[in-house]
Amino acid sequence: MTFSAIPILLLILLLAFPSQSVSGSRDGLLLWFNVVLPTLAPFIICTQMITALGGTEMMMRPFGPALKRMFRLSLSGSFILLCGLLCGYPLGAKLCADFLRRGDINEKEGAYLLAICNHPSPMFLLGYVQAQLPGSPSPLLLLTCLYLPILPLSLAARRFYGIDQSPANAAPVIPAATKISLEDAISVACETMVIIGGYMMLFSILSLWIRQCPLFPPVVRAILTGAAEITTGVNGLCSLFHGKKALMPVICAVAFGGFSGIFQTKSVIKGTGLSIRQYVCWKLAHTGLSCLITTFLLSLPAR
């Protein structure tokens, strides 16, 4: 089957299952409107304004030296990593692509950053994922399982991409201020959010088809749903697994980011030369490390 046949197959499925398609579309757009839009759009607008008005250096004064020593990044790279950690999918990848297009980071640093900077935000983890999980696990547990793997991944990615081990040789790059209005920043945010909403809608339809498919047992349906789209996937996984059993599959789904997150990332890095295949490999490695850390922490005796 060629790639051109895939949308034809999807169209046939949409026509064959109209009620499920409408329901899945509505669920995806409601999740986008209620969860993703309010948590991500303000951050996109703010980061656009900060970089355009030359505020990167001012913002990074408290954090830049530590991030530079720990991750061997330039000032711009440190800003991308910090925003990627705080703001969530796919802003880290978008900033990486934007800075690379402007020449504020080089291709090597851009590839290295893409491996470590694109993650779910703490707001999403603590505001949505924790609320969905049975028993509301500790915020520290969630943050540790998802963010601690960044440290060993950064070491592996530095070696893979040949990043200089000496922070003194990583000269800071300060993006030049450019004229931009608040309306321009909002326009960029809207364009990005529409792309994210479109992918969430399509993958929510796919998730609903999977959940209602009688060919798979419930466990397989829940896992496939989590692999398709994390927002709807987390809800499905928490509905099937109970107690602490829900934590591991949810951590795996959130660490991987879902195929919806991969397609969102692919759309924002288009035309930069950054490899989506390498990005997927790093996400799989991150998922594996998150699983190991989760297993270790759950094995510790409760106090």
Side-chain angles (χ1 to χ4, degrees):
M1 180 186 292
T2 62
F3 284 110
S4 60
I6 294 176
I8 298 174
L9 176 61
L10 290 175
L11 178 61
I12 293 172
L13 290 172
L14 288 171
L15 294 173
F17 305 100
S19 60
Q20 293 92 332
S21 301
V22 171
S23 179
S25 176
R26 181 174 58 246
D27 291 345
L29 289 177
L30 284 174
L31 279 171
W32 171 79
F33 181 78
N34 291 319
V35 178
V36 178
L37 182 64
T39 59
L40 185 57
F43 287 104
I44 296 178
I45 295 171
C46 286
T47 54
Q48 287 289 317
M49 295 295 292
I50 289 169
T51 55
L53 298 176
T56 305
E57 184 180 15
M58 182 185 301
M59 178 178 171
M60 294 310 299
R61 279 175 189 166
F63 313 104
L67 290 175
K68 181 179 177 181
R69 286 194 299 270
M70 186 178 300
F71 295 100
R72 306 300 192 263
L73 292 167
S74 64
L75 177 67
S76 293
S78 300
F79 176 77
I80 293 168
L81 178 60
L82 182 64
C83 291
L85 291 174
L86 294 179
C87 304
Y89 293 119
L91 187 59
K94 176 174 171 48
L95 287 174
C96 192
D98 290 344
F99 277 56
L100 184 57
R101 289 188 186 100
R102 292 199 301 263
D104 295 329
I105 59 174
N106 58 37
E107 293 181 6
K108 186 185 294 186
E109 188 175 19
Y112 166 47
L113 277 166
L114 189 63
I116 61 172
C117 76
N118 209 37
H119 305 286
S121 68
M123 188 181 298
F124 177 78
L125 290 176
L126 305 182
Y128 179 76
V129 176
Q130 186 187 22
Q132 295 289 319
L133 281 165
S136 294
S138 162
L140 183 59
L141 176 64
L142 282 178
L143 297 175
T144 301
C145 292
L146 267 301
Y147 296 144
L148 186 58
I150 294 172
L151 295 177
L153 278 179
S154 70
L155 294 174
R158 283 212 309 265
R159 180 176 293 274
F160 183 81
Y161 293 113
I163 301 297
D164 198 322
Q165 295 299 303
S166 172
N169 293 333
V173 178
I174 303 173
T178 56
K179 277 194 172 184
I180 185 173
S181 65
L182 181 59
E183 289 79 9
D184 293 332
I186 293 174
S187 177
V188 171
C190 287
E191 180 182 354
T192 304
M193 293 309 302
V194 166
I195 292 172
I196 294 171
Y199 278 119
M200 285 192 66
M201 178 183 67
L202 292 175
F203 279 91
S204 291
I205 295 172
L206 176 61
S207 296
L208 185 61
W209 287 342
I210 293 171
R211 291 200 302 271
Q212 296 185 356
C213 179
L215 300 177
F216 303 123
V219 173
V220 174
R221 290 201 298 265
I223 292 172
L224 290 176
T225 302
E229 206 282 315
I230 58 172
T231 313
T232 54
V234 165
N235 181 267
L237 290 168
C238 292
S239 300
L240 179 67
F241 296 98
H242 303 287
K244 288 186 177 180
K245 291 182 179 179
L247 183 61
M248 180 65 77
V250 167
I251 288 293
C252 289
V254 175
F256 179 62
F259 287 103
S260 176
I262 290 171
F263 275 85
Q264 292 170 29
T265 300
K266 186 176 185 295
S267 69
V268 298
I269 66 172
K270 183 171 60 178
T272 62
L274 295 172
S275 171
I276 192 65
R277 289 188 179 90
Q278 291 180 9
Y279 170 77
V280 172
C281 290
W282 291 116
K283 294 308 290 183
L284 289 171
H286 191 140
T287 304
L289 289 171
S290 290
C291 289
L292 290 175
I293 293 170
T294 304
T295 302
F296 172 75
L297 293 178
L298 290 178
S299 68
L300 296 176
R303 292 185 177 180

